[in-house]
Amino acid sequence: MNLAIIGLQWGDEGKGKIVDLLAKDYNYIVRYQGGNNAGHTVDVDGFEFVFHLLPSGVLHPKKIGVISEGVVINPKELLKEIDLLETKGITPNLYVSLGCHLIMPYHIFIDSAYEESQKIGTTMRGIGPTYIDRVGRCGIRMADLLNEKVFAQKIKLNLLQKEPILKGRFDSDEIIIEYLSLFERVKPYLADTRSILNKAIANSEPILFEGAQGTLLDIGFGTYPYVTSSHTTVGGISIGTGISANKISKIMGVMKAYATRVGEGPFPTELKEQEGEYLRMKGREYGATTGRPRRCGWLDLVAIRYAIEVNGINSLVITKLDVLSDLPKIKVCTEYRINGKPCEFQPWISDWSEVEPIIIEFPGWCRDISNIKDYSELPEEAKSYLSAIEKMLGVKIGLVSVGPRRDQTLNK
Ligand code: GDP
Ligand code: IMO
Ligand code: MG
């Protein structure tokens, strides 16, 4: 059975924790889109590790991590992450696709230059400009590094094409030398991951697909233009790995018990200024990649219903329920209205300030739940809250997370 784990909000739903928790039952853990804009936190035995590029399951011995074609890679950052794991005594089993596009130093510069004219609040990792080159057919792939002449030609062409924005800031020879040297260390991991994964499927070896970012950041179905540049929805798996969509057996959606977002863009249930501070402090809502404070707000079921439909979610995971524990009243958005008329979440809404979130309240449970080991021990108010969410979303909640550790997870 192959499982997809997909974020249902604007990222940071706790996907890393859930991937690490479930990885024991899978042979391969695959990152298939995005790049080191992701920050997936795993907390095992008091040891916290934030994965940016490596799949979050690689802390389990013998599991095989795969980074497939749809991921954009900064080789320096990839090696840094591998080195950091090795200092902790972990050598990841890893395959990286020869088809992955490379993030180059000029992509990072262009990312920051674009931010000056159109602020998206990106992670400044060069993700958008690298995907732009991929679509523009001038991108450079891992396989290009196998042939120094081809690689050098491509770098020179890119610098020439981008000269109006780069204005002589980058020297082709410096880049060529740096990347060829990094390549020597990346080479042992390179492989035809499409073929490896399809063979694994033929041998009935289970695969876990680890989504990065979240549905509302999808390039096509998110809150465009305030999105990332990849397909974060379930369709990203097929186009990012070369595996048929009919090989994905289960699609699990991860959502926080409230909502957060990093960077610019619409957020109908956002709690402005001090109001959001409680959730930020209690939930430690600071970016795992950039350290930026995350914007916080109430759970938005209109957006989640949309995300469930776009991805065909068959099972839900709700995380950070413990963060709501001290609140006497818990609020949830169940409907949007524009000029008094109900409306659905639509990625092309042009003026989000017109969207009025209709909020309902649930009684809180006002006691610590982070040490509870069985679902039945949750306070009645927490169970009613979860059952109401399940009913309003029409999908069962399979797992409830009450803390960052593996053992802080309840089967519902
Ligand atoms: P991801 O990008 O979806 O993997 O999520 P992040 O790692 O960026 O952010 C989730 C944060 O919440 C991390 O610091 C996790 O350790 C933490 N976390 C995950 N699940 C829970 C939970 O149930 N309760 C609490 N309090 N923290 C959690
Ligand atoms: P994980 O996988 C939260 C956001 C950025 C910005 C927008 C575009 O940890 O959930 P980019 O650098 O991708 O061009 O930035 O997307 N963003 C994320 N927000 N979690 C992430 O990843 C994110 N990756 C990108 O903040 O608003
Ligand atoms: Mg994150």
Side-chain angles (χ1 to χ4, degrees):
M1 193 206 70
N2 304 317
L3 170 70
I5 302 224
I6 307 278
L8 299 182
Q9 294 155 310
W10 285 284
D12 304 329
E13 297 89 349
K15 301 175 292 295
K17 163 180 167 161
I18 302 302
V19 169
D20 166 72
L21 180 79
L22 301 179
K24 62 178 179 7
D25 297 327
Y26 295 84
N27 293 21
Y28 293 83
I29 326 293
V30 184
R31 271 287 308 272
Y32 54 89
Q33 45 73 227
N36 63 323
N37 48 350
H40 296 179
T41 315
V42 173
D43 185 329
V44 181
D45 303 329
F47 156 55
E48 190 183 86
F49 197 86
V50 182
F51 290 99
H52 298 290
L53 267 169
L54 296 177
S56 303
V58 298
L59 296 184
H60 293 265
K62 299 203 183 123
K63 301 297 168 188
I64 303 170
V66 174
I67 303 179
S68 70
E69 281 84 342
V71 176
V72 290
I73 298 188
N74 180 332
K76 210 195 241 175
E77 297 303 318
L78 174 66
L79 292 170
K80 221 194 258 177
E81 210 168 310
I82 294 172
D83 289 344
L84 187 62
L85 264 191
E86 285 186 341
T87 63
K88 313 270 178 202
I90 298 158
T91 303
N93 299 310
L94 182 68
Y95 289 120
V96 176
S97 172
L98 280 153
C100 287
H101 278 248
L102 291 165
I103 300 180
M104 309 301 297
Y106 48 81
H107 290 133
I108 297 169
F109 171 78
I110 295 171
D111 202 351
S112 61
Y114 283 174
E115 278 289 294
E116 276 173 31
S117 50
Q118 187 194 15
K119 193 162 166 52
I120 303 289
T122 76
T123 58
M124 301 281 199
R125 300 298 189 263
I127 306 292
T130 306
Y131 280 115
I132 291 174
D133 279 3
R134 185 189 196 211
V135 176
R137 296 162 296 186
C138 61
I140 302 180
R141 291 176 292 180
M142 280 292 181
D144 294 324
L145 277 157
L146 291 168
N147 183 325
E148 284 188 33
K149 206 168 127 203
V150 168
F151 179 63
Q153 273 169 355
K154 291 199 174 188
I155 292 286
K156 286 187 176 138
L157 175 70
N158 269 277
L159 291 185
L160 187 69
Q161 282 180 333
K162 296 172 177 55
E163 182 51 23
I165 186 163
L166 300 180
K167 298 198 173 80
R169 278 185 181 84
F170 292 90
D171 177 69
S172 58
D173 289 342
E174 265 178 37
I175 297 178
I176 292 164
I177 291 166
E178 186 193 6
Y179 271 63
L180 287 174
S181 132
L182 291 167
F183 185 61
E184 284 311 306
R185 285 200 57 210
V186 175
K187 225 182 205 169
Y189 301 107
L190 294 180
D192 178 353
T193 57
R194 186 204 60 79
S195 168
I196 290 171
L197 292 173
N198 276 292
K199 280 192 187 117
I201 290 171
N203 292 333
S204 305
E205 291 183 82
I207 301 176
L208 195 164
F209 298 100
E210 173 176 1
Q213 290 83 52
T215 301
L216 308 178
L217 287 172
D218 182 271
I219 185 73
F221 296 96
T223 47
Y224 192 87
Y226 300 100
V227 292
T228 190
S229 299
S230 68
H231 298 280
T232 61
T233 43
V234 72
I237 297 178
S238 194
I239 54 169
T241 59
I243 290 174
S244 163
N246 69 12
K247 299 294 190 293
I248 304 162
S249 354
K250 185 170 177 186
I251 309 167
M252 203 179 248
V254 186
M255 59 190 265
K256 264 184 223 195
Y258 50 97
T260 62
R261 145 158 238 176
V262 198
E264 305 298 306
F267 186 172
T269 61
E270 181 171 15
L271 290 164
K272 294 277 164 59
E273 290 153 23
Q274 282 317 101
E275 274 193 307
E277 199 52 33
Y278 172 82
L279 291 172
R280 190 172 308 115
M281 295 303 288
K282 189 87 201 292
R284 297 203 294 143
E285 295 296 353
Y286 292 89
T289 295
T290 58
R292 289 177 291 175
R294 294 174 180 151
R295 297 158 63 192
C296 297
W298 298 119
L299 183 60
D300 180 346
L301 293 183
V302 183
I304 304 260
R305 270 198 294 268
Y306 168 81
I308 287 173
E309 187 171 278
V310 169
N311 294 294
I313 298 297
N314 349 89
S315 172
L316 289 167
V317 179
I318 186 157
T319 62
K320 300 196 129 177
L321 190 67
D322 55 302
V323 174
L324 303 181
S325 285
D326 296 336
L327 294 170
K329 293 252 181 292
I330 293 164
K331 297 186 189 179
V332 172
C333 164
T334 54
E335 205 187 315
Y336 287 172
R337 285 193 200 150
I338 296 184
N339 297 326
K341 289 203 189 96
C343 77
E344 291 303 313
F345 182 100
Q346 286 161 342
W348 47 78
I349 290 175
S350 55
D351 185 359
W352 281 86
S353 67
E354 289 183 344
V355 174
E356 182 200 356
I358 305 301
I359 303 277
I360 62 167
E361 283 185 355
F362 289 88
W365 43 92
C366 297
R367 60 175 253 232
D368 180 21
I369 57 169
S370 59
N371 293 314
I372 284 180
K373 297 284 174 248
D374 193 274
Y375 183 82
S376 63
E377 293 162 23
L378 278 177
E380 285 311 314
E381 293 85 351
K383 284 194 242 177
S384 309
Y385 170 76
L386 294 172
S387 299
I389 288 175
E390 223 173 30
K391 212 162 152 199
M392 286 187 274
L393 293 176
V395 181
K396 291 271 177 226
I397 297 173
L399 293 174
V400 178
S401 173
V402 293
R405 299 191 316 264
R406 285 178 187 163
D407 66 350
Q408 291 175 303
T409 319
L410 315 172
N411 285 307
K412 186 170 177 302

